[in-house]
Amino acid sequence: MSQAEVLVIGAGISGLSTAWWLAQQGIPVEVWEKAPWLGGKIRTNNHSGYITEQAASLLVNFRPEIDRCIAAAGLTASKQSRGRDLSRYVVHQGRLAEMPMQLGRLALSPLWSRQTKLRLLTEVLMPRSRQPRESVSQFIGRRWGSEVLESAIEPFIAGTLASDPDHADARSLLPRLTGLEQRYGSIAAGIFINRIIKRRRVNTSEAFSFNQGMGELINTLSRHPLIKLKTHCTLDEMHFQNGGWHAQANCGTHNRHIRHLVISTPASHAADLLFPVTPTLSSLVGDIQYAPLSVLHLGFDRAQIRHPLNGSGFLTARRERLSFNGNLWMSSLFSARAPSGKVLLTSYIGGARHPERFGWHDDQLISSVTSDLKRLIGLRGSPEFIHVDRHSQALPLYYGDYQRRLAAITEQLGQWPGLHLVANYRGGVSVRERIYQGMRAAQLISQSTESRTAAACNSDDRVATLTTAHV
Ligand SMILES: Cc1cc2nc3c(=O)[nH]c(=O)nc-3n(C[C@H](O)[C@H](O)[C@H](O)COP(=O)(O)OP(=O)(O)OC[C@H]3O[C@@H](n4cnc5c(N)ncnc54)[C@H](O)[C@@H]3O)c2cc1C
């Protein structure tokens, strides 16, 4: 193939990784991106030594396919791993409490009552659910009880996914935990069987970024020679014609007729583009809700903070009534994210827990967050560095019967050959899942390209046979 047969719309990690996996298989790809830069939500900024991440700060991986991608892209030497001995904290009764990550520590943790600890240890005896669908709160409440839900799972769901466990679908947000219950009857039994008996790496994951931050991943993937990138290029219109897709952009005279069109934009943009083609698919995608988030980066002199900052940061439970959902200690996680003798702390405000706080102006954000930090980590004085990033549609919320919505989207897509929706509202929001889903989409496309080539070769063979027979 010389001219690209695949056009990807959107150069976020979903679109770029799909393009990269295709390019790795020798398939040329063109990518159109509306913004002047690549990476979508992901962007690393350097403000005189304070290195901030606009969205994803780290990649938490347990998938071998991601290791393969990192190695093949030549990023292994640039990986910066989060220190294994860093603690994880959660705010409990107005103070930071360490999250127990091992059984021995669980017994001593102040987070849960003796009853809850006993319940965690006897989870293996609980029957499997017969419910076809449960929210995260229902699933965790049933297996681990309300104390674990409120002090650990709700902070995790709000702090890392900007979501609300009362509305979020358990199978969509916690696929590994719900899968263990379905397969082995209990989460603990599943972990035990996988780890001890099958010796799989279940639950062991590695968290990392790169020397130049997450932007390095974007830059590296986008430099593949078979990927042709166009920024400032918005797909305006698309339609199905003569067995392929006609795409029209606003940037000059960009028209393409291609076999495979990959839409990797947020759901609302995809819904607008799809509406004239298929209103049914458009509404299935367009009805997906998003949560807004503000990201506040604050830089301080190390001496201004009493806490040892010996962790990755902390999450906050709803009942603690704090101004933010989570606080990452970026300069503890990765070295060189702040100038020498300084620290960089990043807070996430809003989400589904408090969408109204997305409207807070900078002064309100800074005063509320610093006042909470004073109580929690012994902060004194004012920040010497401040930067705010805002995302009106930060993360899709996998609410309601999300699995049924996904199945309906997949069924509708089956009616439109060559159309692919690869974005974080399908198959997971994390960078890990985006790269993995990009690989799956690329496999589908390359299989269909191979079968077309095989069909063409077969017909060539037939022509050759007929010609020989006539001679
Ligand atoms: C604050 C925050 C923190 C996060 N932290 C983490 C983390 O630590 N770890 C982790 O794994 N994940 C994290 N995530 C999640 C992860 O960053 C996102 O899910 C992921 O980056 C989304 O990628 P995407 O490509 O699906 O979408 P996007 O990044 O939104 O990309 C979509 C692209 O499509 C373009 N576009 C839209 N319409 C058009 C059009 N018509 N024509 C051309 N281009 C168009 C947009 O300009 C954009 O560039 C975080 C997210 C946020 C918001």
Side-chain angles (χ1 to χ4, degrees):
M1 272 187 293
S2 50
Q3 161 118 16
E5 267 200 37
V6 187
L7 174 62
V8 174
I9 308 300
I13 186 65
S14 299
L16 273 182
S17 56
T18 308
W20 184 86
W21 285 109
L22 283 163
Q24 278 296 98
Q25 294 175 64
I27 300 174
V29 200
E30 191 163 322
V31 181
W32 292 357
E33 167 54 51
K34 177 167 100 167
W37 54 80
L38 305 173
K41 302 254 178 340
I42 296 177
R43 202 154 176 223
T44 307
N45 293 305
N46 189 338
H47 317 257
S48 310
Y50 282 109
I51 306 204
T52 62
E53 297 288 1
Q54 191 176 273
S57 302
L58 72 173
L59 203 162
V60 181
N61 187 39
F62 53 83
R63 288 195 184 277
E65 295 84 355
I66 309 306
D67 293 334
R68 259 174 42 213
C69 166
I70 301 291
L75 278 163
T76 309
S78 183
K79 259 169 72 177
Q80 270 201 330
S81 292
R82 172 182 68 190
R84 285 203 179 271
D85 48 353
L86 286 179
S87 302
R88 292 156 214 235
Y89 292 99
V90 65
V91 181
H92 179 66
Q93 298 175 350
R95 321 177 90 180
L96 295 198
E98 201 174 327
M99 191 66 94
M101 303 307 288
Q102 288 151 0
L103 211 58
R105 296 211 171 170
L106 172 78
L108 301 171
S109 171
L111 278 176
W112 301 309
S113 62
R114 207 176 307 154
Q115 245 177 339
T116 293
K117 287 173 188 166
L118 196 65
R119 180 167 182 165
L120 287 171
L121 294 174
T122 54
E123 185 260 353
V124 67
L125 304 174
M126 289 188 57
R128 193 189 262 126
S129 164
R130 306 240 170 264
Q131 296 290 330
R133 186 183 83 73
E134 281 179 305
S135 69
V136 169
S137 296
Q138 286 167 329
F139 172 71
I140 296 293
R142 181 169 57 73
R143 295 229 63 97
W144 286 342
S146 59
E147 243 184 337
V148 176
L149 172 67
E150 285 164 23
S151 59
I153 302 298
E154 190 279 331
F156 170 76
I157 298 287
T160 62
L161 300 167
S163 194
D164 180 337
D166 289 348
H167 300 287
D169 177 44
R171 271 177 65 203
S172 306
L173 251 62
L174 305 173
R176 289 211 289 168
L177 294 187
T178 53
L180 287 176
E181 185 199 33
Q182 284 314 310
R183 185 129 193 241
Y184 301 105
S186 123
I187 299 171
I191 293 174
F192 179 79
I193 292 168
N194 276 312
R195 261 208 195 155
I196 312 292
I197 301 178
K198 295 192 179 170
R199 296 198 176 277
R200 278 212 202 118
R201 285 176 61 214
V202 160
N203 267 9
T204 54
S205 52
E206 184 192 10
F208 58 90
S209 178
F210 303 93
N211 286 338
Q212 312 295 319
M214 294 298 284
E216 191 173 346
L217 172 68
I218 298 296
N219 295 337
T220 307
L221 295 185
S222 65
R223 277 200 293 264
H224 197 293
L226 288 183
I227 302 180
K228 190 167 158 193
L229 288 158
K230 283 190 170 52
T231 50
H232 292 286
C233 192
T234 306
L235 174 69
D236 271 345
E237 225 183 286
M238 53 183 264
H239 58 265
F240 192 64
Q241 196 180 40
N242 302 331
W245 290 93
H246 184 81
Q248 191 174 318
N250 70 344
C251 45
T253 50
H254 274 100
N255 285 311
R256 282 280 179 282
H257 189 79
I258 23 84
R259 190 143 300 275
H260 291 279
L261 179 61
V262 180
I263 310 280
S264 292
T265 70
S268 58
H269 301 236
D272 290 346
L273 290 164
L274 289 167
F275 187 76
V277 181
T278 156
T280 313
L281 183 53
S282 167
S283 79
L284 280 168
V285 171
D287 288 346
I288 295 170
Q289 297 175 55
Y290 276 70
L293 267 182
S294 299
V295 186
L296 175 64
H297 310 271
L298 298 175
F300 299 95
D301 199 287
R302 179 66 191 87
Q304 284 179 262
I305 296 167
R306 197 170 351 106
H307 195 280
L309 301 180
N310 56 347
S312 47
F314 62 93
L315 296 169
T316 69
R318 181 193 287 273
R319 62 181 180 199
E320 297 291 330
R321 298 177 182 276
L322 293 161
S323 54
F324 52 89
N325 306 334
N327 184 251
L328 268 190
W329 299 339
M330 288 303 291
S331 45
S332 302
L333 270 167
F334 305 115
S335 58
R337 296 301 171 109
S340 169
K342 313 285 179 186
V343 291
L344 175 64
L345 311 181
T346 298
S347 307
Y348 301 87
I349 303 110
R353 192 195 270 175
H354 286 297
E356 74 290 352
R357 293 185 185 170
F358 185 67
W360 282 3
H361 51 73
D362 286 8
D363 290 346
Q364 196 169 1
L365 282 175
I366 297 157
S367 65
S368 310
V369 170
T370 49
S371 130
D372 285 339
L373 289 178
K374 277 177 186 162
R375 280 191 296 118
L376 293 166
I377 56 171
L379 167 70
R380 285 180 290 114
S382 308
E384 66 156 42
F385 162 75
I386 299 167
H387 179 76
V388 183
D389 290 308
R390 287 190 162 83
H391 304 279
S392 58
Q393 291 197 320
L395 286 160
L397 299 167
Y398 290 17
Y399 276 6
D401 199 348
Y402 207 77
Q403 292 294 321
R404 187 184 283 191
R405 182 184 296 277
L406 289 183
I409 290 174
T410 306
E411 193 202 318
Q412 286 293 316
L413 276 173
Q415 300 177 19
W416 298 98
L419 179 62
H420 310 266
L421 299 179
V422 187
N424 66 354
Y425 57 85
R426 269 186 101 204
V429 303
S430 68
V431 175
R432 175 193 66 244
E433 294 308 304
R434 299 322 318 141
I435 299 176
Y436 179 71
Q437 294 297 336
M439 182 199 72
R440 292 188 53 184
Q443 277 171 348
L444 253 175
I445 293 170
S446 81
Q447 276 159 14
S448 98
T449 310
E450 272 165 24
S451 58
R452 264 184 359 104
T453 313
C457 287
N458 286 342
S459 71
D460 283 353
D461 286 351
R462 253 199 334 267
V463 172
T465 315
L466 284 172
T467 318
T468 322
H470 278 88
V471 171

